[in-house]
Amino acid sequence: MRILVVGGGGREHALVWQLAKSAEVEKIFCAPGNAGIAALAECVPIDPAEIFKLRDFARGKGIDLTVVGPEAPLVGGIADLFRDADLHIFGPGGSGARLEGSKVWAKAFMKKYGIPSAAYAVFHDAAAAMDYLDEIEYPVVVKADGLAAGKGVVVAADRASAHTAVQQLMVQKIFGQAGAQIVVEECLQGEEISLFVLTDGNTMIMLPSAQDHKAVFEGDRGPNTGGMGAYSPAGILTPKLLSEAKERVFAHVLQGLRAERIEYNGVLYAGCMLTAEGLKVLEFNVRFGDPETQVVMPRLSSPLPPLLMQTARGELAALEPPRWSADAAVCVVMASNGYPGNYETGKEIYGLEKARAEKGVVFHGGTAFKDGKIVSSGGRVLGVTAWGADLRTAQQQAYLLAGTINFEGAYCRRDIGYRAL
Ligand code: AMP
Ligand code: GLY
């Protein structure tokens, strides 16, 4: 099998790493990939946004399966383009990708199909939004409708910060059209948990639970990032909660997609809050989580290619269920100095050669080659991952491994997994 993976972060490295273990995989390409992925796949310099180029590449190279990592090409319709060309692709088409691409659409969908979520209001103009903000109680959450690289959500503690958020989104338009509409919603309290299902629209397969640490500083303080680390399994996910998630969230999503005649072949990620009234959906993503994938992939003990291929082909019902190891896994992100604000890049990374562990792997999130050396090229540079019999062991191993690597200004949280320990 010849596979093309679209994307170039830690999530894609984890997918490529797991795919490369399978004997049936003859060759992997990754667009654009990174310096770590280059050890396992041929990196091709095509940006994930260049969906026509990617289709032509897949055709030209006889690709059997394309796996899309990031959301932007999915929202942009890459999967429709590939399917029209009779190419197998893992990921929903543009209409299904609205679950992530438009928060207004996703909220209406949740309401229509009885999926538990926060109460909300939608605004198309700043003046009406400001009036509303004067009447309500705080905290509230202000969200840009469209994609904003994970930065379009503001949890506003008071009226002043909510006003600022609306000003930035709708008047200054810092995220352009993504802020043309906004959602203002009830602020939910509780613990967050990420749930993933693979689905072809008919059958669903739950993947192991994971939790990420969004805040940049220890103790979950400071500004939100894309994720400073993750662990799997998420200790709080009891069997009862799991069936609640299946029945009250995912089954309703599938029902809704069918009712709307939307085909969906890919992964659906529900970011949920475990509230006093039960599980509520904060957001949907139509792709794998990052760094969550970096702790989920190492726990897969059956081959990945058939799982992704059968999802893409709509034949999940015929698939033997995947097997997962009982090990716990922890991923510690090593980030660039300054992240999530303006950060430094181009720093040489030392110790990668020797950073080896029997039960560990260093996934590259933002790295590149420069003069034959591996340097940082993104905010989240490495995802140092380890696994073991329990979370504590996995955590210790991950930090041991991280301790052998360094680059100037490298920053990692020292407490990944603490909530479950
Ligand atoms: P989203 O992109 O919608 O997941 O939002 C990013 C983050 O904002 C989430 O992971 C939560 O930490 C927080 N958030 C989003 N919606 C809410 C909400 N209704 N109540 C509390 N926190 C929220
Ligand atoms: N770790 C959060 C995300 O992938 O959206």
Side-chain angles (χ1 to χ4, degrees), residues 17-310:
W17 173 79
Q18 186 55 263
L19 287 167
K21 289 184 182 179
S22 288
E24 63 187 298
V25 174
E26 171 203 331
K27 169 106 188 165
I28 306 174
F29 295 92
C30 191
N34 63 37
I37 291 172
L40 302 166
E42 184 177 330
C43 295
V44 284
I46 307 178
D47 190 275
E50 297 181 288
I51 62 178
F52 291 92
K53 267 195 190 168
L54 289 167
R55 179 202 55 194
D56 296 343
F57 178 86
R59 255 195 200 138
K61 294 286 181 184
I63 299 294
D64 300 298
L65 174 68
T66 298
V67 182
V68 185
E71 62 277 12
L74 293 169
V75 172
I78 189 173
D80 306 293
L81 205 62
F82 273 61
R83 291 195 183 105
D84 285 345
D86 285 327
L87 293 162
H88 294 306
I89 185 163
F90 178 89
S95 53
R98 281 180 295 176
L99 281 172
E100 178 165 3
S102 168
K103 296 212 190 268
V104 171
W105 190 86
K107 291 295 288 189
F109 180 90
M110 287 192 257
K111 197 171 187 179
K112 186 167 175 188
Y113 295 102
I115 298 157
S117 177
Y120 75 106
V122 174
F123 296 95
H124 306 85
D125 76 80
M130 295 293 191
D131 286 347
Y132 178 74
L133 293 179
D134 289 342
E135 288 162 17
I136 55 174
E137 289 183 16
Y138 288 84
V140 293
V141 184
V142 178
K143 300 183 170 184
D145 172 52
L147 295 184
K151 298 191 184 113
V153 174
V154 176
V155 179
D158 49 39
R159 206 173 62 129
S161 26
H163 268 248
T164 307
V166 171
Q167 183 73 19
Q168 290 180 336
L169 292 176
M170 305 195 90
V171 183
Q172 294 167 17
K173 299 189 169 65
I174 58 170
F175 299 119
Q177 272 302 105
Q181 298 184 83
I182 62 164
V183 172
V184 179
E185 71 178 35
E186 166 200 9
C187 187
L188 301 174
Q189 307 295 334
E191 196 164 341
E192 276 187 67
I193 181 166
S194 307
L195 301 169
F196 307 94
V197 292
L198 290 183
T199 184
D200 57 7
N202 293 307
T203 303
M204 50 180 177
I205 295 180
M206 288 292 288
L207 303 183
S209 60
Q211 268 181 289
D212 73 345
H213 290 271
K214 287 206 168 68
V216 69
F217 300 128
E218 271 127 46
D220 293 313
R221 287 173 299 113
N224 268 355
T225 68
M228 290 302 296
Y231 55 98
S232 175
I236 57 167
L237 194 71
T238 58
K240 183 169 162 281
L241 262 182
L242 194 68
S243 56
E244 185 182 331
K246 276 190 190 162
E247 286 157 27
R248 295 186 57 207
V249 177
F250 292 113
H252 288 214
V253 175
L254 289 200
Q255 200 182 29
L257 289 172
R258 277 196 295 264
E260 303 286 327
R261 301 190 187 286
I262 295 172
E263 288 181 16
Y264 197 107
N265 302 71
V267 62
L268 180 68
Y269 162 164
C272 297
M273 190 76 90
L274 185 53
T275 73
E277 294 145 37
L279 212 54
K280 293 194 180 179
V281 175
L282 295 175
E283 63 160 347
F284 285 118
N285 295 309
V286 298
R287 41 136 187 111
F288 285 108
D290 194 4
E292 291 94 326
T293 306
Q294 300 181 54
V295 287
V296 169
M297 282 302 130
R299 298 187 57 212
L300 178 63
S301 51
S302 54
L304 180 60
L307 207 54
L308 301 181
M309 186 57 131
Q310 303 292 74

Side-chain angles (χ1 to χ4, degrees), residues 347-418:
K347 303 295 178 194
E348 183 175 350
I349 305 171
Y350 302 98
L352 284 173
E353 287 295 312
K354 291 204 196 108
R356 298 256 179 274
E358 192 197 333
K359 293 187 171 185
V361 54
V362 179
F363 293 123
H364 291 221
T367 64
F369 290 108
K370 190 178 155 200
D371 305 328
K373 293 174 176 142
I374 296 182
V375 300
S376 61
S377 66
R380 292 187 290 172
V381 179
L382 301 170
V384 183
T385 303
W387 49 96
D390 52 47
L391 205 61
R392 171 99 41 209
T393 311
Q395 188 199 44
Q396 280 166 354
Q397 292 306 312
Y399 280 111
L400 269 181
L401 195 56
T404 65
I405 306 168
N406 200 15
F407 57 93
E408 196 189 314
Y411 168 74
C412 68
R413 274 181 59 164
R414 306 297 314 175
D415 65 347
I416 300 303
Y418 82 91

